[in-house]
Amino acid sequence: MLDALRRSIAHAYDNTAYYRAKCDAAGVAPTDLRTLGDLARFPFTLKSDFRANYPWGMCAVPREKLARVHASSGTTGKPTIVGYTKNDLDLWDGLVARCIEAAGGRPGDLIHNAYGYGLFTGGLGLHGGAQRLGCAVVPASGGQTERQVQLILDLEPRIICCTPSYMLVLAEALERAGVDPRGTSLEIGIFGAEPWSMQMQREIEARLGIAALDLYGLSEVLGPGVAQERADARGTLTIWEDEFHPEIVDPATGAVLADGKEGELVFTSLSKEAVPIIRYRTGDLTRLHPPVGGVPFRRMDRILGRSDDMLIVRGVNIFPRQIEELILEEAALSSHYRIDVRRENARDELIITVEGTGVNALAERMKSRYGLSATVTVVEAGTLPRSEGKARRVFDHRKDKPA
Ligand code: DLL
């Protein structure tokens, strides 16, 4: 592993002006990596480095060696561009195939793939992995929900891949079509690309009668296929450590934390060619756990939140996921919600709008669990917008620029 790490860092250092300058400034060279502990001497890479070096600055191979380009789904500024060589695509297919197999897929399965096709890595990432495993793919992509429902009913796929929020949209559409969502051919869902609480996972499993497994990844590191919840190790995601070396660091200080401690997930790639990454800070918060069940790779908790999506409301720190958990514990409330935070008269206001019926105790429970008063507005089913890909549920208006 250390050899692969050293080779990968040397590849980045030798072939990009960016990594060379950054390592030189930190006074480290690839040969300084003698033990795993030496990795902490190497500088971090951030999403902003990808932006600053747009479009090809992070690329360690000549442009002519690229076989594909994707871009991350950044909402502001320039997208981050990631390139893949033929070998990278091969590696990617192999890892996604491993994810699908770990989730319970097998050759011959029919897979309905409703991750968006295009610059987003979800659609083509799952597509390549499914084919590698020997499955047939229905490349549904996002949108045209009624047609997707028809395809699911007619073609009878065993596996579905999409964002958890879009699965809820499909479940509603099945109900609208007069079909019991528990009665379809689907047995397995492979869901990711956005945060989702364990309560949301249970809700999807109960509502669809399927096993809902968590798939994690990010474009800068690869795309989907970095870590996967295995059917034989539910509750955590196994990280494909033979390709990506994980670290957990303190988000504030960058200090490396021991396994079991919560912090920001950082990855260094071991064999990726086009865009090798050294200590990439994902922004995602989790903890590392030891291997289980004969698979020699460490696992991580489902993503607990992002270091940059924590809301600070009247001095109380809260992650949207914690609010989602409370919403889903209320029988009268559905999984369609939005969270708004505004500053009014120098006071932060937390407003939770959620579809539901009847009485709920969300406001009381927000108060007793987190010490936060919130205004809870219950609206009729179907009122809030539905998403086809990554759902946007949190709106912090304190960050809005004044008009
Ligand atoms: O979302 C890749 C992907 C596609 C993963 C399909 C899984 C399935 P990006 O668009 O670059 O790539 O967004 C990456 O999404 O840093 C996390 O914050 C979040 N994310 C991805 N998977 C999960 C997950 C794809 N399973 C960013 N749970 C990451 C929570 C996730 N958050």
Side-chain angles (χ1 to χ4, degrees):
M1 205 277 289
L2 200 55
D3 278 346
L5 203 54
R6 208 180 287 120
R7 265 198 310 276
S8 182
I9 292 180
H11 169 57
Y13 183 89
D14 292 342
N15 296 297
T16 67
Y18 160 74
Y19 278 116
R20 178 178 291 260
K22 202 146 184 187
C23 289
D24 287 351
V28 283
T31 45
D32 292 328
L33 189 83
R34 287 184 207 95
T35 68
L36 208 48
D38 293 327
L39 186 61
R41 296 175 53 198
F42 285 79
F44 290 119
T45 304
L46 305 172
K47 199 176 184 89
S48 55
D49 292 317
F50 274 80
R51 292 221 174 92
N53 291 285
Y54 176 89
W56 305 121
M58 306 300 280
C59 206
V61 298
R63 228 274 305 124
E64 296 70 32
K65 290 263 183 232
L66 294 183
R68 174 119 47 90
V69 173
H70 280 281
S72 90
S73 48
T75 44
T76 51
K78 284 187 179 155
T80 56
I81 293 285
V82 283
Y84 302 77
T85 63
K86 239 177 159 23
N87 287 339
D88 292 337
L89 291 178
D90 198 46
L91 167 86
W92 191 13
D93 287 350
L95 291 180
V96 174
R98 229 195 246 180
C99 291
I100 299 172
E101 196 168 26
R106 45 186 190 242
D109 279 338
L110 185 64
I111 301 191
H112 183 94
N113 184 15
Y115 283 114
Y117 281 63
L119 284 172
F120 175 52
T121 53
L124 285 164
L126 266 298
H127 187 97
Q131 288 197 324
R132 170 65 62 86
L133 185 61
C135 302
V137 196
V138 182
S141 195
Q144 292 191 285
T145 303
E146 311 303 325
R147 198 161 78 147
Q148 300 225 15
V149 162
Q150 199 59 55
L151 283 170
I152 292 169
L153 295 175
D154 294 345
L155 305 184
E156 305 191 327
R158 178 170 175 255
I159 300 180
I160 184 160
C161 306
C162 60
T163 57
S165 54
Y166 193 57
M167 189 67 249
L168 293 171
V169 173
L170 286 170
E172 283 182 328
L174 281 163
E175 280 161 3
R176 265 202 311 277
V179 179
D180 173 6
R182 296 183 59 84
T184 72
S185 57
L186 293 172
E187 293 174 18
I188 297 169
I190 302 179
F191 303 121
E194 64 184 8
W196 56 314
S197 62
M198 207 186 294
Q199 282 73 3
M200 179 77 85
Q201 188 170 26
R202 284 200 209 109
E203 152 120 12
I204 292 176
E205 295 201 322
R207 196 147 161 215
L208 276 298
I210 59 175
L213 295 134
D214 197 354
L215 162 65
Y216 171 82
L218 62 168
S219 346
E220 293 82 2
V221 173
L222 179 77
V226 175
Q228 170 70 42
E229 181 178 12
R230 286 153 42 202
D232 69 333
R234 299 293 312 259
T236 53
L237 290 81
T238 300
I239 301 173
W240 306 130
E241 272 195 278
D242 51 341
E243 286 299 337
F244 303 106
H245 176 72
E247 296 173 89
I248 296 290
V249 304
D250 181 321
T253 65
V256 178
L257 301 177
D259 285 8
K261 294 262 182 287
E262 184 180 327
E264 182 176 348
L265 184 61
V266 170
F267 281 111
T268 302
S269 61
L270 299 185
S271 81
K272 225 157 59 109
E273 293 178 342
V275 185
I277 40 152
I278 302 178
R279 306 196 81 205
Y280 182 73
R281 289 185 69 150
T282 63
D284 296 319
L285 302 174
T286 186
R287 297 185 299 173
L288 293 179
H289 300 288
V292 285
V295 178
F297 304 130
R298 278 177 291 173
R299 296 161 301 132
M300 65 178 197
D301 280 334
R302 65 189 308 114
I303 298 299
L304 305 165
R306 287 186 54 81
S307 48
D308 52 11
D309 75 2
M310 187 178 72
L311 295 166
I312 305 180
V313 183
R314 296 191 291 278
V316 178
N317 298 354
I318 188 158
F319 284 106
R321 176 187 54 93
Q322 295 173 303
I323 301 177
E324 178 179 296
E325 285 168 10
L326 286 193
I327 293 174
L328 293 179
E329 284 168 15
E330 291 289 327
L333 300 179
S334 85
S335 37
H336 297 285
Y337 67 91
R338 67 175 269 165
I339 299 169
D340 290 88
V341 188
R342 299 176 199 283
R343 179 156 294 142
E344 302 209 341
N345 303 324
R347 191 171 188 274
D348 293 332
E349 298 289 340
L350 175 64
I351 302 133
I352 305 170
T353 311
V354 51
E355 292 181 6
T357 45
V359 206
N360 71 82
L362 182 60
E364 292 80 356
R365 294 185 52 242
M366 281 291 295
K367 185 87 198 162
S368 60
R369 183 88 62 95
Y370 300 113
L372 260 179
S373 356
T375 306
V376 176
T377 309
V378 179
V379 295
E380 246 176 66
T383 312
L384 294 173
R386 302 293 190 254
S387 92
E388 291 172 0
K390 294 179 192 255
R392 181 153 183 240
R393 298 188 173 102
V394 182
F395 301 83
D396 189 344
H397 305 282
R398 298 170 301 182
K399 294 178 183 158
D400 296 348
K401 293 203 183 75

